[in-house]
Amino acid sequence: MEIAELRRALDDVFDQAVVYHAYTNYMRDYEVIVYATADPRTGIQPAYLRYLFKYWVQVEASTALSLDTWRRSVDERLTDPEIGPDLDGYVWAVRWQALYPGAQLIAESRRAQEWAEQVGIDFHEVRIQMNGHNLNLIFSELEVSHLPSATRPTWSPRTGRAPVCSLRARSDGRRRSRRVNLARRPQRPKAGQGR
């Protein structure tokens, strides 16, 4: 992806809703799922976009909240979509965050240049600023795709439902489907339960 194309892809999702971000299940890439909308008068339908940062070598995540906001946001009830919106603090239960102030390419990133020299392929650094988290990613390629209806998260900013994807994968020429709840992580076994 050319630099101008990379910048355009990042600008395209300014102030949209990030509904999920994490390492892919095969751990080489990092994905950000964006729910993109436009003014209804444009006729452009809302879409789920997958921003796949390929060959990532460094991801740094930090809070975007101020200390004062954090002090008011430790109440566990703020994770409950029924109770949280009525409380004072950051409502974690909304399960999405605004991509604002946005994502930008770090021009002539020293860290990306060092990785490029060591590995022998181009690397880039992107800063993604949201209203809950900030991310810095160093990666080689960006792949942007529309999630087809079979893989589109069923979560919506309007309903507040947990992001769930139905994934279709080809294995030995046959199709198989599975549903993955993106809001839940596998739990580690408790002490004494083994693996």
Side-chain angles (χ1 to χ4, degrees), residues 81-152:
E82 300 297 321
I83 301 169
D86 296 328
L87 301 173
D88 185 32
Y90 188 87
V91 182
W92 307 103
V94 296
R95 297 187 176 107
W96 67 277
Q97 52 188 316
L99 187 52
Y100 181 84
Q104 72 242 8
L105 179 66
I106 307 300
E108 299 181 28
S109 163
R110 181 188 51 78
R111 298 187 311 170
Q113 288 173 358
E114 288 172 1
W115 277 101
E117 290 167 6
Q118 296 296 320
V119 179
I121 59 176
D122 288 338
F123 279 90
H124 311 283
E125 183 173 2
V126 165
R127 178 175 298 127
I128 300 174
Q129 295 176 294
M130 300 170 277
N131 68 342
H133 301 125
N134 293 319
L135 300 172
N136 266 53
L137 294 104
I138 298 175
F139 62 97
S140 182
E141 298 175 22
L142 174 63
E143 181 180 291
V144 179
S145 58
H146 280 79
L147 293 178
S149 57
T151 59
R152 182 174 52 221

Side-chain angles (χ1 to χ4, degrees), residues 76-87:
E76 198 64 29
R77 296 175 298 166
L78 289 165
T79 64
D80 184 321
E82 300 297 321
I83 301 169
D86 296 328
L87 301 173

Side-chain angles (χ1 to χ4, degrees), residues 140-187:
S140 182
E141 298 175 22
L142 174 63
E143 181 180 291
V144 179
S145 58
H146 280 79
L147 293 178
S149 57
T151 59
R152 182 174 52 221
T154 58
W155 178 90
S156 160
R158 291 185 186 159
T159 65
R161 292 191 188 124
V164 177
C165 288
S166 295
L167 304 176
R168 297 195 184 275
R170 292 195 178 266
S171 173
D172 300 329
R174 297 189 341 228
R175 292 184 80 143
R176 104 187 127 166
S177 297
R178 63 187 172 109
R179 290 179 61 80
V180 178
N181 187 336
L182 300 174
R184 294 186 183 152
R185 299 277 185 244
Q187 294 182 358

